[in-house]
Structure formats: C-alpha cells, structure tokens
Amino acid sequence: MSAPTVPLTATETRIVEVRAGILKKNDELARALRRRFEAAGVFVVNLVSSPGTGKTAFLERTLRELREQGLRVAALVGDLETDNDAQRLARSGAPARQINTHGRCHLEAEMIEAHLDDFAIDQLDVLFIENVGNLVCPASYDLGEAMRVALLSVTEGEDKPLKYPTMFNSADVAMITKVDLAEACEFDWEAARQSIESVRPGMTILSCSARKGTGMATWYAALETRRQGWRSTRRDVVV
Amino acid sequence: MHELSIAHGIVDVAVGEARRLGAVRVSAVHVAVGRLSGIEAGALLFCYDIATAGTPLDGSRLVIEDVPISIYCKPCGSEKALPGVNRFRCPDCQTPSGDIRRGRELELTHLEVEQPDFTPLTQSAAS
C-alpha cells in the first residue's frame, strides 16, 4: 500500500452561508435618517419619475402653495450635473439645495445625510426630495422617506407602470401629471388606471396639471392626510 | 444603470464577510436577485469584473440566483409565484394582491472561500 497522501496546500475550499443585504450600508443609513426625521417631526417625500415628467414644475408649485398655506417646506433636488432645478425651486421662496450626483443615476441615503446640515430640519414640516429622473435605479434606494410618489405624465403613454413595475410597486402614490395635455395626447385614463392597478393593487392614483393648477388641492389634501397619519403613529424618538 | 453601484455593494459586503471568516481567497460569490429588485443580471455580471478588479475578489465568479415574485393570495390561503413582474394577481383565482412575499431580494447568500486548514498535517496524513 502506498503512503497516505499529505495535502499539498494548507487551505480548504468551503461554501459558507452569509445572508447579507447588498445595500446594507444604504439601508442602515436610511433607517437612521428615518429615525432622525421622526425625531425632528419632518415628513419627507421622495419624488421619482422618468426625465421630463414635470417633477420640478410640480414641486415648484407645491412648495409655493404649501408655503402660502403656512407650512414650512424645503427641497433637496438631485441632478447629474447642473443646479438649474434648485435655482428654479428657490423661486418658490422655499429653501432648496442641489445634490449633484456626478453621473450617478439615483440618490443614495448618504447624499441626503450630507446635505441635511444645510437645513434646520426640526424647523420644517415637509422636506421634498426630487430624485434623479430615472424610472429604474432610484427604486432600489431607500432615502429614509415617509412617502414615495411616482409621477407619470400623460405624454409618456399609459403602459409605463407595466414597463417599470419595480418603481411603481415601491411607491405609495401615483401622480399623473400634465393633464392639461391629456386630450391632445388622446390619453386613455382607464388603460392608465389598469396598468397602475396591475402592478400595485389598491394604489392611490392622483392627477394634476402643475401649469394650470388642476388637481393640486386634492394632492395637498392627500399629502396632509398622510402626514397627519404619520404624525400620530411615528415613534417617540429621543435624539 | 446602477448595477455598478450594486456591484461595489457586493464587493463591500463580501470583503467584510471574507475577512470575518478568515478566508485567504474568495472563489465565488452567490447572490439572490429578486425580479422586483430592478437589477438586470447581464449588466450586473458585466459590472462585477470592473468592481472586483484590484480587490480581494479579483478573479472570483458571480453566481446569480433569480428569485421570482411571490404574493400571498388571501382567498387561496397560500403563497403563489407570479409568472411575470407586472401582473399582481393570483395566477389561479385572479384576485389582485399587493402582499409581496418574495421578489425584492438583493442579498449575498453564500461565499465560496478558501480557508486555512487548521487540522495538523500529520493528523490529516494519518486519516
């Protein structure tokens, strides 16, 4: 019989179970942000959509009119390069800060955290985050928001939610924008409703024209209802 | 495309775990990717080589497990896998359901690692 084989290497290959979230770092930071927002009493809304849906026009009007109603509002706006949007939003009179992602296609929790010192967040009622215009990537990143609104314009076609189900599925409210153009685009309301309902049964669907002001009062009412619900259930957090 | 960010996330998590395990080399990384995670497997594979270059994961394989969406159907009283990603209805009774049980995963599940074998060589030679 030959001599027993001595292993040539002092290592062994093993398969080890790990089970760890890939976005762990972002998710942990988002949880910390959520606790911070709750402690400060600021309701945070994340606006997501494809480019050109009219997020900035929608937000500009929202900021102006909510300020007129006496709410303390502010905005963080994500963009790949320019600060055009923050300049536009600042015209509403509300504080607005630009986050340049320098090519990144979405906002991440650490970018939000890095810009929070620009605001006295405990002096705010609502902080809006205008995400980068992109219907894919922002869906994966929790920013610690209390509410996510997915915007869909009548010019984009009724089946966008079917094509980008993850985004609509991760949002709380679908907002159909540019309704003043609906007739010209032959927008099929029922088809749009069905495609939203198909990817997110029971989702709240609102519609508006930020240019004409149509539907904005309903949006403010829906926002306020959710904010009040959040205020009554948010945990008592000591900072 | 955010697959590059995701690939960097995989590297972060895997390097930390490998260090914790005392691994000398990582030969493969297994991830579970839910169909609702918004990740495209081809793009992730492409970005993986870029993200791992020059890291302890350089040269390792990425193994992607595709996780279909499952919803809970109340009338049927059970979890049902959906054939697609954009019709949240029970495939059997057609009742709509937004109660998602699987399909959002974006998780590192296993690592194939080479670990130092602490068994004394004389003992393994005798066995």
Side-chain angles (χ1 to χ4, degrees):
Chain A
M1 229 176 95
S2 63
T5 317
V6 177
L8 291 174
T9 59
T11 60
E12 59 173 351
T13 303
R14 290 208 300 144
I15 298 186
V16 187
E17 182 165 347
V18 174
R19 297 272 164 208
I22 291 165
L23 294 175
K24 198 167 73 174
K25 225 167 91 186
N26 185 79
D27 291 346
E28 281 168 2
L29 196 49
R31 268 197 294 278
L33 281 177
R34 191 164 281 117
R35 282 196 297 272
R36 197 167 151 192
F37 295 147
E38 285 175 352
V42 58
F43 187 69
V44 178
V45 183
N46 183 5
L47 301 177
V48 293
S49 80
S50 49
T53 315
K55 279 192 301 302
T56 310
F58 170 74
L59 186 50
E60 192 180 344
R61 185 162 193 138
T62 298
L63 291 171
R64 193 178 68 237
E65 294 186 338
L66 288 182
R67 274 189 83 227
E68 286 165 8
Q69 290 178 22
L71 276 179
R72 299 165 303 175
V73 293
L76 275 172
V77 48
D79 202 351
L80 269 68
E81 294 300 345
T82 73
D83 68 346
N84 294 352
D85 287 351
Q87 288 184 27
R88 260 178 82 185
L89 292 175
R91 292 202 303 249
S92 68
R97 296 284 180 278
Q98 189 81 41
I99 302 176
N100 279 138
T101 62
H102 302 296
R104 264 194 274 187
C105 51
H106 57 271
L107 290 175
E108 295 184 17
E110 64 176 349
M111 303 177 191
I112 304 300
E113 191 198 31
H115 286 79
L116 281 186
D117 292 340
D118 295 349
F119 303 113
I121 56 166
D122 56 347
Q123 302 294 309
L124 291 177
D125 296 311
V126 187
L127 172 65
F128 291 94
I129 300 170
E130 182 183 336
N131 218 313
V132 178
N134 177 342
L135 270 182
V136 182
C137 313
S140 303
Y141 293 87
D142 183 0
L143 304 180
E145 73 266 27
M147 176 182 182
R148 188 178 287 191
V149 181
L151 287 81
L152 161 76
S153 66
V154 298
T155 53
E156 287 175 273
E158 300 81 359
D159 59 351
K160 267 280 169 70
L162 297 175
K163 291 176 175 166
Y164 299 91
T166 303
M167 182 55 89
F168 284 85
N169 199 279
S170 72
D172 304 292
V173 170
M175 171 63 78
I176 300 173
T177 60
K178 305 188 184 180
V179 300
D180 51 316
L181 304 176
E183 211 181 311
C185 298
E186 297 181 8
F187 186 69
D188 185 337
W189 289 95
E190 182 51 23
R193 193 194 62 75
Q194 278 180 18
S195 65
I196 294 167
E197 187 69 23
S198 179
V199 296
R200 181 81 199 257
M203 191 179 203
T204 302
I205 305 173
L206 300 173
S207 61
C208 74
S209 160
R211 193 170 3 171
K212 307 274 183 193
T214 325
M216 295 302 281
T218 312
W219 151 239
Y220 303 142
L223 177 68
E224 191 54 20
T225 304
R226 282 180 181 258
R227 192 171 74 94
Q228 292 305 334
W230 169 82
R231 279 161 66 100
S232 65
T233 57
R234 81 189 155 98
R235 283 163 292 161
D236 247 337
V237 190
V238 182
V239 223
Chain B
M1 188 177 81
H2 63 316
E3 278 78 1
L4 187 57
S5 301
I6 301 293
H8 284 301
I10 293 175
V11 173
D12 279 351
V13 177
V15 167
E17 291 293 330
R19 199 163 289 153
R20 199 176 58 79
L21 292 164
V24 289
R25 205 178 88 86
V26 176
S27 49
V29 176
H30 295 242
V31 294
V33 174
R35 288 195 193 158
L36 263 184
S37 68
I39 304 297
E40 210 273 298
L44 184 57
L45 282 169
F46 177 77
C47 293
Y48 186 73
D49 288 342
I50 300 169
T52 52
T55 77
L57 298 181
D58 207 338
S60 63
R61 282 180 303 128
L62 179 67
V63 183
I64 300 176
E65 179 203 348
D66 168 48
V67 184
I69 302 166
S70 288
I71 52 161
Y72 182 77
C73 175
K74 236 180 185 167
C76 296
S78 61
E79 204 177 304
K80 300 285 177 76
L82 300 183
V85 293
N86 56 19
R87 198 173 146 84
F88 285 75
R89 278 171 187 272
C90 172
D92 297 321
C93 74
Q94 305 302 318
T95 306
S97 168
D99 185 354
I100 299 163
R101 298 293 170 92
R102 276 162 68 80
R104 291 193 198 276
E105 295 80 357
L106 192 49
E107 196 182 53
L108 200 158
T109 58
H110 296 85
L111 284 180
E112 285 179 37
V113 294
E114 280 175 24
Q115 282 176 304
D117 180 1
F118 293 114
T119 321
L121 288 179
T122 46
Q123 194 183 323
S124 51
S127 62

